[in-house]
Amino acid sequence: MTAPQVELLNMTKRFGANLALNNVSLLIRSGTVHALLGENGAGKSTLVKCLVGFYHPENGHIQVNGREHRLNSPKDADALGIGMVYQHFTLVPSMTVAQNLVVSGARLPAYINWQSELKRLTEVTKKLPFHVPLDVRVSQLSAGEKQKAEIVKQLYLGRKLLILDEPTSVLTPAEADEVLGYVRSLTRAGELSAVLISHKFHEVRRYADDVTVLRRGASVRTGAVADLSDDALAEAMIGEPVSKMVQHAPKSPPKPNIVLSIKDLCVNGDNGLPAVKDLSLAVREGEIAGIAGVSGNGQLELVEAMMGQRDRNGTITVSGSSFNGTRKEIARLGVYGLPQEPLKNACIDRMSLAENLALRNFDRAPLCRGIAMNYGALAVQAERLVAQFRVKAPGLTASMNALSGGNVQRAVLARELTQDVRLLIASNPTFGLDFVACEETYRRIVEARNGGAAVLLISEDLDELLGLVDRVLVMSAGRIVHEVLADCADKRVIGKYMAGMKAA
Amino acid sequence: MDVTSIGWLTLPLAILGGAIRVSTPFIFVSIGELITEKSGRINLGLEGTLMLGAMAGYGVSYLSGSPWLGVLAAGLAGTAFGLVHGLLCSVKRVNDTAIGISLIVLGTGLAFFFGKPLIEPKAPALPSISLGFWSSVPQVRAASDVNALFFVGILLAFAVYVFLNRTGWGLMLRTVGDSEDAARALGFPVLRVRILATMAGGFLAGIGGSFLSLSYPGSWSEGLSSGQGIMAVALVIFARWRSINALGASLLFGGAGALGPALQGVGVTGYYYLFNAAPYILTLAIMVASTSRAAPFADAPGELKLHR
């Protein structure tokens, strides 16, 4: 079988009252890369999950090479040679790459002779352009290696239509080029067709032949990439003409006093191994320092250690006094944060919006009188913050669950940034947010900086980082390996450091 | 020869013999629990299964005259209990820990209820294999009288190792327990695998229970288990979810359990109850030592809700 042509016709899928896909059609031509572009929640994942048999659409047909097929389970998709590389990898972490390959085969072997099995797998994977160690546990691979292992798995299984779900979010620019470049060469050779889910225009432009833009479950634009301008794509994506991306506020030179100072920090990861190694850094008043790096290089552990959520060795001082993340210190030193996935990490999802807005100051007047809460004052504060940050919610007493991702973020911004912020720690603050909420987050971060706060921004999105920060630090394997002023930053050089290469 | 001629050796011999005897139910229960946990579920109900197995095994052995039929019946009773656990936990938002605790109560209750008429009669016991024939010292002979099920348990530990590492089904079980997403993406029947794994765990725990009532001297009473089903959960954590380790850990727990009786046997009668508490103290110590905030259960199956 060579590269198939796959067509989805009039796909409709509901989740309860929510229309996730509304009559979407999509044609993936044989031997091409078809990009699916859209904001979070636009229906990209739902659409491809129908294509791999995970979801069953209420309406619609799927045709492969002109013949109609019903896909009731991932097994049916397997049989047609359709495979997906998920964003959250579906390799089993505690098994080796070889075990993962064997377990994913169409037929489970009864008894496995690992010696001959390994020999066979080595033969198969030798032909691929990238090397993946077979006898290493997946949990010990870097995110980039996992991505490659996923693709190796798909090719090993003989898949002919490959679906890649935001593949580059965990890769360095060079790795992204290696992986997507290889997929593209395979499609060019007519051995494969591919679907690339993305929200990055330059990626779509570089690797895709055709593009379909989804918005709110509907296909709003489709065509050859070459025929569509970036502006046209962006407009289709958000449904209105685009205002310019983050306007860089004129940079004022940072003041000399250091707000955050970290010295010789060592932190262990969940697996008990060192994740942050002898890390030192300083952030000054009125500057945004950004930490770039591929996910899984110690950023999460660094943030958790700073916030007092994780044991650590080394010193962290804020404005000269030692900081351990106690509630008293947070209030006195003005340390606030924008964590990634705010609903999970910055909110209590079953408490109301008003209560969540009060998490920072419910234990101080006027929100409490002695040991009793003053619910009147709580409501007044919530009303003020909701108006000021334009949080859209069913009501102040609605539970946090009921808010959309963008509005959860606005609520968190309202709570954190209306305090007396002297140090802001933002960790992938826009992960999974829609366009408008991203813009708003960027604007508020820059405002906090301009108000004199020191900002430490940790982001896996290099474009986002370079657009915001005054100084870039690159983190790799638990250390800061490179530091450069944003004005002099070169993306390729940073990418090399992200990949752990010494010489640039 | 008389007793004094082997002197201080009496104590280690008694502990060794006791360890083998006490560890046998631990081997079965812990390997059963290990299989269940490898599928991503925890079955705390094995304490109840153990009692039910002890009762069912004794009853069937008494009625049929064959202890091995009793063992089989105990296993089947355990399988049924595993099925109940497996099915109940497959309902959305049902918590496996809570179901397990209720099954402890149900299992012991059922065992007491149906076991009332079994307290008096004498059922045929499982055979022992005497490995002490070469010695004329009675302590050596006593310590070397090893129940046949112990050897089955050793074989079981190795068989489970091979199953988990060298068979396709074993890999499927581990996939389901480690990453539900991956299992679904591969089209594995996640619920069915979990239910079967819980049934297999119940089968082994039932057999462990039959050992309690059918090994020498063999009797049914309501105080047979004394928490071994619960301790097996700690034992699996201590064994890092590896069957061969579970075998060793069972012997260690068995040794701790044999400490009290062994000391009594050589005439140390003080602190009897304190020494009898050794396995529980060991459990606590192991749990404290093998868990840490920095590295919560690194080897645990990913879907296991132990540390969330």
Side-chain angles (χ1 to χ4, degrees):
Chain A
M1 196 160 64
T2 51
Q5 166 170 311
V6 178
E7 190 162 20
L8 292 97
L9 290 164
N10 309 102
M11 306 289 283
T12 300
K13 171 80 190 161
R14 271 172 211 287
F15 293 108
N18 180 13
L19 190 61
L21 285 181
N22 183 5
N23 213 17
V24 175
S25 297
L26 185 72
L27 171 68
I28 306 149
R29 293 183 292 135
S30 163
T32 60
V33 178
H34 194 117
L36 269 183
L37 201 59
E39 294 197 63
N40 279 85
K44 295 170 298 188
S45 296
T46 313
L47 184 66
V48 294
K49 279 183 178 167
C50 289
L51 185 53
V52 292
F54 231 77
Y55 291 155
H56 308 128
E58 268 95 60
N59 241 321
H61 309 278
I62 295 171
Q63 291 184 350
V64 179
N65 292 331
R67 279 189 52 194
E68 180 156 347
H69 291 274
R70 280 189 66 82
L71 300 176
N72 292 319
S73 82
K75 292 232 164 194
D76 296 339
D78 273 2
L80 289 170
I82 300 174
M84 175 153 171
V85 176
Y86 295 87
Q87 207 172 1
H88 303 286
F89 300 121
T90 51
L91 295 166
V92 184
S94 72
M95 303 204 306
T96 64
V97 176
Q99 287 174 332
N100 268 289
L101 289 178
V102 169
V103 84
S104 60
R107 290 181 57 142
L108 282 176
Y111 181 81
I112 304 158
N113 181 345
W114 281 113
Q115 241 171 2
S116 61
E117 196 69 23
L118 274 176
K119 208 182 267 174
R120 195 176 63 84
L121 292 174
T122 313
E123 285 296 313
V124 175
T125 52
K126 223 165 43 185
K127 296 178 204 135
L128 301 172
F130 27 80
H131 173 72
V132 179
L134 285 173
D135 50 359
V136 175
R137 279 191 186 199
V138 169
S139 55
Q140 283 163 358
L141 297 178
S142 75
E145 284 174 313
K146 282 184 203 164
Q147 176 87 287
K148 288 181 198 167
E150 283 278 0
I151 291 178
V152 166
K153 183 173 100 182
Q154 299 297 333
L155 297 174
Y156 162 78
L157 293 173
R159 301 286 161 76
K160 291 299 170 190
L161 176 69
L162 205 55
I163 303 165
L164 303 162
D165 188 2
E166 308 238 356
T168 57
S169 57
V170 294
L171 301 177
T172 66
E175 281 177 321
D177 202 51
E178 188 184 7
V179 168
L180 288 178
Y182 179 60
V183 169
R184 184 166 174 95
S185 74
L186 284 180
T187 58
R188 285 271 162 86
E191 290 174 29
L192 201 68
S193 306
V195 176
L196 173 67
I197 299 181
S198 180
H199 61 252
K200 293 180 186 159
F201 293 156
H202 66 85
E203 222 169 82
V204 170
R205 202 155 285 291
R206 181 134 183 219
Y207 303 107
D209 303 291
D210 298 332
V211 61
T212 295
V213 183
L214 293 181
R215 188 173 77 241
R216 290 190 195 145
S219 163
V220 289
R221 199 83 196 245
T222 182
V225 175
D227 300 341
L228 292 163
S229 70
D230 278 0
D231 279 344
L233 289 175
E235 207 176 312
M237 233 166 101
I238 62 168
E240 52 193 76
V242 204
S243 57
K244 208 55 201 145
M245 285 281 287
V246 196
Q247 285 296 338
H248 252 275
K251 290 179 183 173
S252 55
K255 313 210 168 59
N257 30 336
I258 290 172
V259 177
L260 169 69
S261 157
I262 298 177
K263 283 213 177 70
D264 305 322
L265 184 73
C266 293
V267 187
N268 283 353
D270 282 340
N271 52 11
L273 301 173
V276 177
K277 298 162 198 158
D278 295 319
L279 181 141
S280 302
L281 62 83
V283 188
R284 290 162 199 283
E285 194 179 325
E287 80 163 342
I288 305 178
I291 296 188
V294 179
S295 132
N297 273 284
Q299 299 98 318
L300 180 75
E301 287 83 357
L302 170 65
V303 172
E304 289 186 353
M306 275 194 279
M307 293 307 214
Q309 294 167 289
R310 195 176 269 273
D311 294 340
R312 66 183 202 215
N313 279 315
T315 50
I316 299 178
T317 55
V318 176
S319 310
S321 26
S322 149
F323 182 76
N324 296 301
T326 64
R327 205 164 163 84
K328 221 181 238 171
E329 289 170 341
I330 288 171
R332 186 167 60 86
L333 301 171
V335 181
Y336 293 95
L338 301 172
Q340 64 185 11
E341 297 179 71
L343 183 64
K344 195 170 132 208
N345 295 319
C347 298
I348 301 166
D349 54 3
R350 275 182 247 179
M351 281 193 180
S352 73
L353 170 60
E355 286 166 332
N356 269 291
L357 285 170
L359 287 179
R360 285 293 184 198
N361 58 356
F362 70 89
D363 52 353
R364 291 195 291 269
L367 293 190
C368 74
R369 282 180 302 220
I371 59 164
M373 292 288 302
N374 179 352
Y375 277 92
L378 191 109
V380 169
Q381 165 176 294
E383 217 160 297
R384 177 168 51 83
L385 291 177
V386 162
Q388 196 182 337
F389 281 76
R390 295 192 307 277
V391 184
K392 283 188 211 107
L396 295 180
T397 54
S399 93
M400 211 62 191
N401 283 328
L403 272 66
S404 73
N407 284 307
V408 169
Q409 175 78 340
R410 280 187 200 100
V412 172
L413 287 169
R415 182 182 77 205
E416 301 290 307
L417 298 181
T418 48
Q419 312 289 331
D420 174 21
V421 184
R422 267 164 285 163
L423 171 63
L424 179 68
I425 296 169
S427 165
N428 291 311
T430 58
F431 182 82
L433 293 183
D434 63 48
F435 226 78
V436 184
C438 285
E439 292 288 298
E440 173 137 19
T441 308
Y442 296 148
R443 193 165 54 79
R444 300 277 182 187
I445 290 176
V446 169
E447 272 173 21
R449 192 266 318 265
N450 294 347
V455 181
L456 183 64
L457 171 71
I458 294 104
S459 178
E460 283 150 25
D461 185 339
L462 192 53
D463 299 321
E464 163 183 297
L465 200 83
L466 291 176
L468 276 174
V469 302
D470 303 308
R471 188 158 55 98
V472 185
L473 306 161
V474 181
M475 191 161 177
S476 171
R479 298 172 204 275
I480 299 291
V481 292
H482 184 55
E483 181 176 345
V484 63
L485 289 175
D487 296 334
C488 328
D490 179 338
K491 221 169 137 177
R492 273 171 310 170
V493 176
I494 291 177
K496 281 194 180 161
Y497 279 105
M498 280 164 69
M501 288 176 227
K502 286 237 167 65
Chain B
M1 266 189 232
D2 67 68
V3 176
T4 49
S5 68
I6 57 165
W8 61 272
L9 272 173
T10 314
L11 182 64
L13 260 179
I15 292 181
L16 179 70
I20 289 174
R21 194 177 61 247
V22 181
S23 69
T24 306
F26 272 128
I27 296 172
F28 281 92
V29 183
S30 63
I31 289 180
E33 179 68 21
L34 184 143
I35 293 173
T36 306
E37 289 189 18
K38 274 284 183 192
S39 82
R41 273 194 192 151
I42 188 162
N43 182 1
L44 290 184
L46 291 189
E47 174 75 13
T49 312
L50 203 65
M51 286 307 284
L52 196 70
M55 186 277 296
Y58 198 76
V60 170
S61 169
Y62 170 65
L63 293 174
S64 70
S66 157
W68 291 107
L69 264 183
V71 171
L72 182 68
L76 292 179
T79 309
F81 246 52
L83 177 66
V84 171
H85 185 280
L87 287 178
L88 286 176
C89 293
S90 301
V91 180
K92 259 191 189 151
R93 288 200 298 264
V94 168
N95 178 286
D96 50 356
T97 309
I99 293 289
I101 290 171
S102 59
L103 285 185
I104 296 178
V105 181
L106 180 66
T108 25
L110 284 176
F112 289 3
F113 178 72
F114 290 110
K116 276 278 180 266
L118 295 174
I119 296 177
E120 278 298 306
K122 183 87 188 100
L126 284 167
S128 295
I129 297 167
S130 186
L131 298 179
F133 53 85
W134 46 270
S135 170
S136 56
V137 182
Q139 283 90 341
V140 174
R141 280 178 164 262
S144 331
D145 256 1
V146 180
N147 195 286
L149 269 184
F150 177 72
F151 297 104
V152 178
I154 292 177
L155 288 182
L156 179 72
F158 287 94
V160 168
Y161 172 82
V162 170
F163 172 75
L164 288 175
N165 291 288
R166 299 208 152 211
T167 68
W169 283 6
L171 289 186
M172 175 163 79
L173 176 72
R174 287 169 60 190
T175 305
V176 167
D178 240 326
S179 164
E180 190 168 337
D181 280 345
R184 290 203 186 284
L186 292 170
F188 290 154
V190 173
L191 287 182
R192 205 187 316 156
V193 169
R194 286 189 176 155
I195 292 171
L196 285 173
T198 317
M199 286 168 72
F203 182 76
L204 294 180
I207 290 180
S210 73
F211 177 87
L212 290 176
S213 59
L214 289 176
S215 69
Y216 176 82
S219 72
W220 157 254
S221 78
E222 296 181 354
L224 270 181
S225 158
S226 59
Q228 293 184 21
I230 304 275
M231 275 187 278
V233 177
L235 204 153
V236 172
I237 295 173
F238 176 54
R240 293 284 161 218
W241 293 270
R242 295 190 188 111
S243 60
I244 310 288
N245 288 0
L247 185 64
S250 296
L251 280 167
L252 182 66
F253 271 66
L259 188 61
L263 280 171
Q264 204 187 21
V266 296
V268 181
T269 46
Y271 306 110
Y272 175 66
Y273 290 103
L274 185 66
F275 286 124
N276 270 356
Y280 309 101
I281 295 168
L282 181 70
T283 308
L284 271 179
I286 280 174
M287 290 316 287
V288 171
S290 63
T291 58
S292 87
R293 199 158 65 96
F297 300 130
D299 301 317
E303 294 292 325
L304 207 58
K305 288 167 187 83
L306 271 179
H307 52 280
R308 285 185 202 158

